[in-house]
Amino acid sequence: MSFLHPDMLPYKLRRIGRMLVPASARVTIAAGMQEFANSQYRLYPSFYNNQRRVVNLKDSKKGEVCVIIGNGPSMRDFDLGRLRGTDAFCLNRGYLLWQAAKITPRYLVVTNPLVVEQFASELASVDADHFLPWEHRRRFVGDNSMFLMLRWKAHFSLDIAKGIWGGGTVTFAAMQIAYYLGYSRVVLIGVDHSFNFDGTPNSELVATGADQNHFTPDYFSNGVKWHAPDLALSEISYAIARDAFAADGREIVDATEGGQLQIFPKVCLERMIL
């Protein structure tokens, strides 16, 4: 029997916990549960096979440039042909953009459990190298899938084989992966950093009507469950990532057209990837 990660517990149970347990204690308890859940993976031979594959990727792209593509409205009319020849990270349901263009990204990164649970079959069909949470490994059996342990401790992971912190946004997860692979420059596009929603950050919502927060109205369409973004936490995470890259003589820059994020230097896309 597997020990569940704290974010895999039933929503009603987590809600009761928030009501009864002080915030500081919840963080400590959740982190302990996370470590215990991660430790059980060492019982599986597949864990060590997966770890070897991840370790073999370290610095494999040393000195190169990549693009991390957010899924904001600024990507609605974006020509993916502008990225030809540049490694690109696709996030969550960003594959919808690539499928429409009939081309594929280099990587697909997914950390949100609701995205995995509702769209696992679509994610598995994307012809790219996948990075996914270890606890969802049974949903993905292809040779192109690699699995990472999620940690609740706030930090920028220099060694993703030991786990990553989600940081409130899959974009931050992709930054940690890009660092581990050795990319010297990460260029952001589509990270609009602006959402319209009713609810509190991190709450579970159900989409009603067309999606106005992403590049297609079908991204989180009517009836789809999704988590409200935590922009404040995202900014903290982005600042941590910026500083980690800078400390190693590398950089993250932002070429998002009209984006609201102010953490990274604003740049022209073509000047950064050519």
Side-chain angles (χ1 to χ4, degrees):
M1 180 177 179
S2 297
F3 189 84
L4 293 177
H5 279 257
D7 53 3
M8 296 176 71
L9 295 174
Y11 176 73
K12 289 184 178 179
L13 182 59
R14 284 182 281 143
R15 185 173 62 181
I16 293 173
R18 285 195 293 269
M19 294 171 58
L20 299 179
V21 182
S24 58
R26 290 202 306 270
V27 172
T28 301
I29 293 171
M33 291 177 63
Q34 190 105 40
E35 289 303 311
F36 189 85
N38 285 336
S39 67
Q40 70 186 329
Y41 299 152
R42 291 172 174 79
L43 300 175
Y44 299 93
S46 58
F47 173 81
Y48 297 97
N49 293 331
N50 177 78
Q51 291 298 88
R52 281 192 290 270
R53 295 178 62 206
V54 173
V55 169
N56 286 338
L57 292 175
K58 183 172 176 58
D59 290 332
S60 59
K61 296 292 184 175
K62 191 175 182 64
E64 297 186 25
V65 177
C66 71
V67 175
I68 294 178
I69 306 176
N71 299 317
S74 63
M75 295 301 296
R76 284 174 183 159
D77 298 315
F78 186 86
D79 178 12
L80 289 174
R82 295 168 63 185
L83 304 179
R84 199 170 303 279
T86 303
D87 288 345
F89 285 79
C90 168
L91 311 176
N92 289 337
R93 299 200 77 202
Y95 57 83
L96 296 174
L97 183 68
W98 294 82
Q99 289 173 345
K102 301 187 184 305
I103 55 178
T104 56
R106 182 70 178 84
Y107 310 103
L108 171 63
V109 182
V110 185
T111 56
N112 186 280
L114 292 180
V115 174
V116 175
E117 291 164 8
Q118 296 174 103
F119 304 105
S121 60
E122 293 182 12
L123 294 166
S125 69
V126 178
D127 186 17
D129 288 338
H130 297 178
F131 291 94
L132 303 145
W134 175 263
E135 55 264 34
H136 296 293
R137 67 195 179 283
R138 291 187 178 88
R139 298 175 183 266
F140 303 89
V141 297
D143 293 336
N144 60 338
S145 295
M146 284 163 281
F147 305 97
L148 305 176
M149 293 179 289
L150 298 182
R151 306 279 185 184
W152 277 36
K153 179 182 178 181
H155 72 294
F156 185 91
S157 177
L158 304 181
D159 185 355
I160 64 173
K162 296 179 179 178
I164 62 173
W165 178 45
T169 169
V170 67
T171 310
F172 181 69
M175 291 172 178
Q176 294 169 87
I177 296 168
Y179 183 98
Y180 186 77
L181 295 179
Y183 288 103
S184 61
R185 175 184 293 157
V186 172
V187 184
L188 305 179
I189 59 174
V191 184
D192 293 35
H193 199 61
S194 176
F195 289 83
N196 292 314
F197 63 93
D198 293 322
T200 58
N202 302 307
S203 61
E204 183 177 310
L205 306 176
V206 178
T208 56
D211 188 339
Q212 301 299 318
N213 292 313
H214 297 90
F215 60 81
T216 172
D218 297 324
Y219 191 92
F220 287 145
S221 55
N222 195 35
V224 171
K225 298 177 182 179
W226 65 294
H227 284 128
D230 189 335
L231 298 184
L233 178 58
S234 297
E235 290 182 6
I236 292 172
S237 304
Y238 291 148
I240 294 173
R242 177 199 61 202
D243 295 345
F245 269 76
D248 195 40
R250 302 192 245 174
E251 64 178 349
I252 302 176
V253 295
D254 187 359
T256 300
E257 298 177 1
Q260 301 300 306
L261 187 62
Q262 301 299 320
I263 302 297
F264 306 104
K266 300 291 187 180
V267 298
C268 171
L269 174 62
E270 277 71 20
R271 292 179 181 177
M272 293 293 105
I273 65 175
L274 296 179

